[in-house]
Structure formats: C-alpha cells, structure tokens
C-alpha cells in the first residue's frame, strides 16, 4: 500500500467517529434548503418559486426520503407525486 | 530485569490471544456468519447505519475506548507490585475484555444494532432499565468529580502544560468550523493544531513566564490565601471552578463545535503517545525497579486490584461503545472479531505501557516503597509518576525528560478533559431522561439539567474532605468508579451468556469471567462498605461513601439475583438465529 493510501485510511479511521454528526448536520441543512425551495407549496410566498420548480425532478427522491423520515407515509403536498 | 521483556511477554500473550482464542470464540461460540446481513446493510440510512471498512471501524472503536482511565488504574494498582497489575491487564484483556467487547458487538449486531441498555430492558425487564440509568448516573457523577481533581492536580504539578491545553480549545473550534461548515479535510488542520500545541508545550517547558503556576502566584504552598486555604488548596479551588465553568459551556454547545474536533486532535495524540512510549522503551531499555510484589502493602491486593484497574482490562464502558455505535457500522459479521477483540487488545497495550512507565521510574525498590507508602498515596501520586516515568521512557528517542513530561501531561489532560466533557453531557441526558420518566418537566430543560450536573459534581469534589486534602473529594471514590464500571461489564457479560444459552451453545466463556468479575466486585465492595466506610472497623465512618457504596452494593446483589433467575428459566425475549431466519 502506498503512503497516500495509508494516510487516507488513517484519516478515515479518525473521521469515523464524527461521520454521523457531519451526515446529520448536512441532512438538516438539505431539509431546510428543500423546504425553502418549495415554501410556496406550503402557502408561504416565494418569489423564486418559478425557478426552484425546475429542481423538482432532481429532488423527488430526496423529498420522498424526507417525508418518510418525518413519519408521513404519503407526501404531505398534493402536487408532489413521489409515491 | 529489562522492561522490554515485560512488553514482549505482554504483547506475545495478546498476539496468541487474538490469533487462537478469539478465533476459537468467533468460530465455535459466536459462530460468525460471513453471509449474515448486518444492521449496517439492512437499515442503511447514510447517517447511523453505514457499512464501514473494518480497519476504519477498529480505529474509531479503539480511539473511543482508550483515554485516561486505562492509565490511571494501572498507575495506582502498581502499589501492590508490578506482577499482579501485569497479570490482570494481560490475562484480563485476553479472557475477559476481549470476549466482552467482541460479544457486545455480536449481540448487538444480531439484535438490530440495539444498545446494551435497550437489550437489558428487553431481556431482564423494566427494572433493568432504571438500574442501568442509576448505575450510569453514579458512574458519570464520579467520573466528573475524579477527573476534575485529576486535571487540577496535573495543572498544579505541570504548570508548563496549561497553556497548550487552553490553546487546544480555539484550535478545535477552528477545525470544527473548517470541517463542518466548509467540508474541508480534517487530517492536515488537526495535525497542524497538534504541532502548535506541542510547540507551545516545548516553549512553555523552557520559559517559566509561560507556565501558569497558581501555587506560585498565591505565594507558595505554606502561604494562607483566604478562607483558611493555603496556596495549593486555593489553586485547586480556582482550577476546579474554572473547569466547572468550562465544562458547563462545553457540554451545552453542539458536539461538532468543540467536542468532536477535540476528539479528533486527541486521537492523533493517542497514536503519538503510544508511538513515543513504545519506541522510547525499545531504545532506552530501562530496568524494572518496582518490586514484583510489594510485601509492605498494608491494603491487600485481593480483591481490590480488580476494581482498581477498571479500564485497563475489562470495562463496561466498552460495551456501551461497541453496542452503541460500532455495531451499527459493521460491514460483515466476521469483522466483529477484529473490531471488538482487537480493540480491547489496543486498550490493553495502553495499560501495559502505563505499568511499564511507572515500574521503571524509580531508582531502586526502596525508592518505590518510600513513594508508594500507602494505597491512599498511590491514588495521589499514580498519575504524576506515570507522567514522569513516561517522560523518562521518551528520553530513549532523544526527547529531553522535562519536555517529554510536559507533552505527556498535555496528552493525559486532553484525554481527561474530553472524558469530563462527555460525562457531563451524558449526565445531563440521564437527568433529562429521569425527568421525563418521572414526569418532572423542569428537569428535561437543558440548562436546568446541566446546572444540576455541574453543581453536584463540584459539590462532590469540594465538600467532602478527601485523603489528598482539599478538592479531592471525588478522588476518594475511585474504587467506586471501578465497581460501577465492572458492574456494567458484568451486566453485558450476563446478556451475552443468556443469548448464548438460548442458542444452545457453550456459554462458559462469558459465564466464567462474569462470575469472577461479580465475585471480585462484590467482595471488594463489601469489604469497603461494611468494614471501612461504615465505621465498624478501625477506620472512621464516611457517610457519603457508605451511602453511595451501599446503593451500588445493593444493585450488584440485585443483578446477581436477576442473573441466577434469568439463567434458570429459558428466556424467550431473546431472539435466536432460528427466529430471525423465519
């Protein structure tokens, strides 16, 4: 194994304990971003809604994971047909 | 005798234990199955459940379990001579700690990655949960009190280490910011932070103006400062108050801001420390000067040794880590042997070098017995002796002894401070949990729970008069710390035994260490609680210790009874492999 790989393994070893926290933090940030993008669907006026709507197909999968994680079996937003 | 022989014999036993014994346990007893779908795959969510490379997981597991405790215990236990401590660390690691950590991991993996606490609740019942909460509460209260004193003591004895320890805080916050907010690489900033800390330590070791030496500021040990406290007592008072304020803030911040990046820096310190000490040992080839058995010991080693060395050999805390996080990330079930058993071996290596550092420090056996003149003194000087002994070992690789001692002090204080942060945080969670269990809403609030945790810990340190003078109230509880930790290990071994029994397998490999551990713990406890602290014997009565000790003693008996009754009936709450395949 070359030196770079050893270094990478060592970094990963030490990062492991913190990975969960980073992942959780990033996920929370993603959730917030998603809610901000689709705030119009929840009744909060959003001037950029026209543009954020274009993200819809890219975020469908993640939206589905989000509402399952929040304990809702079906999508809470009528227009969102993820499941 | 050369200390290298001790290290080689210890390592050889660890090696044989891992190669043959753990293999036997893995194949014949736990029967690891390479095709079993582990919770990491089954419940994969990218956050808690993530299949992880076994080396990475071992690194995480090892750095989580190794801290100041495996150093403190052996450094005190050497009071009885090096042989009993050496034997218990080596054999205890192979036959008790290894199967315990490994078993906790396997048991949790076979039960959806649930923790030992949840499993105890399921297998033994609701009583076990409350029992668990109280044991952990007492455990963390003692850890807070003991480690606050340990850190203050090190600050007073090694004033050159203070600045480095304080510099670590802003450095950790900076790394936390870099990593979490900007997703940067952690390795290089944390190595840079470590280098800054060590450079500061080296400079401070040589420049007295940079040493924060409180007893000197207060006009020396003899000078009465205020409230009838002399210079040293006043320094203890100030450091303990500073630590308590710090710990209040540190335990209420989000973990990623201070606690985790600090852990990350400390993990390098563990590697650096182990590297320096074992290499130093190899090059300096010191003689073991501590006696093999201390014939002048007034406190008998049997059974007290087994609760004095808590984390060096078997430790209940390892079971919490193994079943709490490691089990959720195990990629293949067969990796459990490497992660669990070899993780225990890693901790054994740390305890072994702690024994060697203390055993080689003194010029001759006479100097040893003069310094370690009673068990109380051993508790007082153990850690300081370890640091000086470690400094002496480091001279083998051309690091001057004073600088090496400062660096080792920085390492030990960093470990102790992380333990303190974590245990105050844990105590806060437990108080909140008890609050919601008994419907006392105010206890569930963060600041109320933290205040209770911090104030009760500070009171435990400052109010009772410990054997080492003012501020050492918590330290006098070290045997109790060992006891509750060993009790926790006993419960985990009991759970593994019950699981093995239900599967119809040979459960002696966990039953024997459990029975041994429980008997030693109860014996040592009974001796202390009823003959020492109750005032029945020659010693004076100690109400606080008597009460706390009695509570833990009752818990221990209770668990023994639960164990006997659970072993006698066939518990159907534990799923077997057959249930899972259906």
């Amino acid at each position: 194994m070359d030196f770079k790989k050893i270094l990478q393994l060592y970094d990963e070893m030490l990062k492991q304990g913190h990975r969960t926290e980073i992942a959780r933090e990033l996920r929370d940030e993603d959730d917030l971003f998603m809610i901000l993008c689709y705030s119009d669907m929840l009744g909060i006026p959003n001037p950029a809604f026209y543009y954020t709507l274009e993200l819809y197909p890219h975020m469908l999968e993640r939206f589905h994971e989000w509402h399952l994680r929040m304990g809702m079996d079906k999508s809470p937003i009528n227009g969102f047909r993820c499941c | 005798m050369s200390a290298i022989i001790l290290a080689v014999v210890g390592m050889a036993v660890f090696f044989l234990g891992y190669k043959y014994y753990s293999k036997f346990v893995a194949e014949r007893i736990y029967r690891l199955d390479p095709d079993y779908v582990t919770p990491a795959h089954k419940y994969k969510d990218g956050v808690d459940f993530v299949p992880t490379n076994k080396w990475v997981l071992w690194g995480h597991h090892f750095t989580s379990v190794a801290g100041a405790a495996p150093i403190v215990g052996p450094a005190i236990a050497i009071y009885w001579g090096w042989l009993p401590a050496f034997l218990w660390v080596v054999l205890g690691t192979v036959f008790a700690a290894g199967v315990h950590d490994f078993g906790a991991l396997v048991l949790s993996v076979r039960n959806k990655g649930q923790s030992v606490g949840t499993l105890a609740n399921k297998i033994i019942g609701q009583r076990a949960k409350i029992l668990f909460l109280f044991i952990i509460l007492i455990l963390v209260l003692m850890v807070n009190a003991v480690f606050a004193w340990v850190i203050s003591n090190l600050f007073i004895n090694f004033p050159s280490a203070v600045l480095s320890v304080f510099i670590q805080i802003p450095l950790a916050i900076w790394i936390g910011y870099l990593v979490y907010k900007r997703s940067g690489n952690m390795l290089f900033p944390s190595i840079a932070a470590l280098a800054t800390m060590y450079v500061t330590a080296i400079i401070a070791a040589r420049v007295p103006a940079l040493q924060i030496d409180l007893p000197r500021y207060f006009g020396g040990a003899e000078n009465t400062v205020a409230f009838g406290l002399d210079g040293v007592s006043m320094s203890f008072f100030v450091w303990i108050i500073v630590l308590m304020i710090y710990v209040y803030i540190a335990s209420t911040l989000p973990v990623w801001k201070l606690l985790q990046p600090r852990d990350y820096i400390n993990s390098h310190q563990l590697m650096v420390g182990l590297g320096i000490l074992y290499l130093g040992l190899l090059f300096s080839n010191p003689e073991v000067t501590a006696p093999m058995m201390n014939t002048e010991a007034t406190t008998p080693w049997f059974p007290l040794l087994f609760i004095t060395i808590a984390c060096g050999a078997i430790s209940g805390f390892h079971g919490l880590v193994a079943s709490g996080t490691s089990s959720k990330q195990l990629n293949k079930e067969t990796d459990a042997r490497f992660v669990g058993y070899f993780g225990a071996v890693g901790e054994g290596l740390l305890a072994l070098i702690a024994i060697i550092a203390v055993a080689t420090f003194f010029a001759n056996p006479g100097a040893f017995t003069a310094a370690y003149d009673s068990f109380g003194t051993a508790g007082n000087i153990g850690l300081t002796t370890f640091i000086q002994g470690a400094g002496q070992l480091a001279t083998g690789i051309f690091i001057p002894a004073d600088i090496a001692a400062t660096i080792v002090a920085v390492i030990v204080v960093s470990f102790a401070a992380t333990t303190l942060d974590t245990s105050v945080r844990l105590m806060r969670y437990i108080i909140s949990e008890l609050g919601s269990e008994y419907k006392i809403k105010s206890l569930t609030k963060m600041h109320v729970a933290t205040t209770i945790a911090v104030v009760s810990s500070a009171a435990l340190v400052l109010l009772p008069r410990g054997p080492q003078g003012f501020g050492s109230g918590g330290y006098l509880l070290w045997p109790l710390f060992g006891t509750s930790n060993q009790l926790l290990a006993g419960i985990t071994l009991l759970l593994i035994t019950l699981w093995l029994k239900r599967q119809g397998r040979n459960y002696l490999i966990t039953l024997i260490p459990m029975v041994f551990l429980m008997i030693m713990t109860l014996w040592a406890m009974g001796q202390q609680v009823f003959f020492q602290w109750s005032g029945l014997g020659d010693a004076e009565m100690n109400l606080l210790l008597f009460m706390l000790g009695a509570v833990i003693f009752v818990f221990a008996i209770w668990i023994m009874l639960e164990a006997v009754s659970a072993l006698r009936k066939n518990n159907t709450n534990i799923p077997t492999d057959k249930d899972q395949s259906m």
Side-chain angles (χ1 to χ4, degrees), chain B residues 244-564:
Chain B
M244 289 298 158
I245 295 172
Y246 155 74
V247 103
Y248 188 101
I249 300 169
S251 65
T252 45
L253 282 178
V255 276
W256 63 266
K257 273 198 178 137
L258 178 62
L259 198 68
Q260 292 205 323
R262 247 179 71 156
D263 250 9
Y264 196 72
I265 304 176
N266 287 350
S267 315
H268 298 300
Q269 299 212 59
L270 182 64
M271 311 285 176
V272 170
L274 276 177
I276 289 181
L277 295 184
Y278 274 101
L279 276 182
L281 171 71
L282 194 65
F283 286 109
S284 63
N285 189 15
E287 286 290 309
V288 175
T289 51
M292 198 194 252
M293 288 291 286
N294 183 3
T295 45
E296 287 166 39
T298 44
T299 314
W301 69 275
F302 198 84
L304 218 57
L305 173 84
F306 304 98
I307 55 169
T308 306
I309 302 183
C311 291
I314 185 166
S315 155
F317 179 66
H318 296 195
L320 298 181
V321 175
S323 64
T325 54
S326 302
S327 64
K328 297 183 177 69
Q329 296 162 0
L330 203 70
N331 183 27
K332 277 204 304 208
E333 197 179 53
T334 40
D335 292 348
R337 176 182 163 212
F338 182 73
V339 175
Y341 200 97
F342 203 60
V345 168
E347 173 127 341
L349 283 174
L350 186 62
L352 183 63
I353 199 71
I355 293 176
I356 292 175
V358 180
T360 55
F361 174 66
F362 295 96
N364 51 54
F368 172 85
T369 30
Y372 273 71
D373 62 349
S374 72
F375 186 58
T377 323
N380 191 8
I381 62 166
L383 202 56
T384 316
T385 315
F386 163 75
I387 291 173
Q388 287 164 337
Q392 203 165 291
L393 282 184
T395 52
I397 46 172
F398 310 110
I399 303 176
D402 59 332
I403 289 177
T406 303
I407 290 181
V408 176
V410 169
I411 294 178
V412 176
V413 172
S414 311
F415 287 170
T418 330
T419 312
L420 191 66
D421 285 356
T422 317
S423 73
V424 169
R425 190 178 284 271
L426 250 166
M427 192 167 171
R428 181 186 113 201
Y429 293 152
I430 296 169
I431 292 172
S432 302
E433 200 167 332
L434 285 173
S436 51
E437 186 91 10
Y438 292 106
K439 310 224 164 17
I440 308 170
K441 211 180 162 202
S442 57
L443 285 186
T444 57
K445 298 212 161 53
M446 181 170 84
H447 287 286
V448 176
T450 313
T451 307
I452 295 175
V454 170
V455 169
S456 58
S457 309
L460 185 55
V461 188
L462 295 171
L463 293 184
R465 191 155 182 93
Q468 280 86 256
F470 180 77
S472 63
Y475 212 72
L476 145 178
L477 299 182
W478 183 257
L480 274 186
F481 166 79
T483 321
S484 24
N485 197 27
Q486 302 309 71
L487 259 181
L488 216 56
I491 302 176
T492 312
L493 282 173
L494 164 68
L495 295 175
I496 306 167
T497 309
L498 289 172
W499 175 68
L500 288 174
K501 181 171 179 267
R502 174 122 160 85
Q503 309 260 48
R505 297 186 199 159
N506 182 355
Y507 51 85
L508 286 178
I509 61 130
T510 50
L511 184 73
I512 294 171
M514 182 200 115
V515 171
F516 178 79
L517 204 64
M518 283 303 202
I519 290 178
M520 289 308 139
T521 310
L522 284 179
W523 188 345
M525 285 280 327
Q527 218 174 38
Q528 287 183 312
V529 172
F530 299 110
F531 296 106
Q532 219 175 320
W533 301 326
S534 66
L536 276 180
D538 304 329
E540 260 180 61
M541 182 179 185
N542 188 324
L543 191 67
L544 173 94
L545 270 179
F546 177 70
M547 274 164 45
L548 270 177
V551 169
I552 297 181
F553 189 77
V554 170
F555 280 173
I557 297 278
W558 190 352
I559 291 167
M560 282 297 269
L561 294 177
E562 295 277 2
V564 174

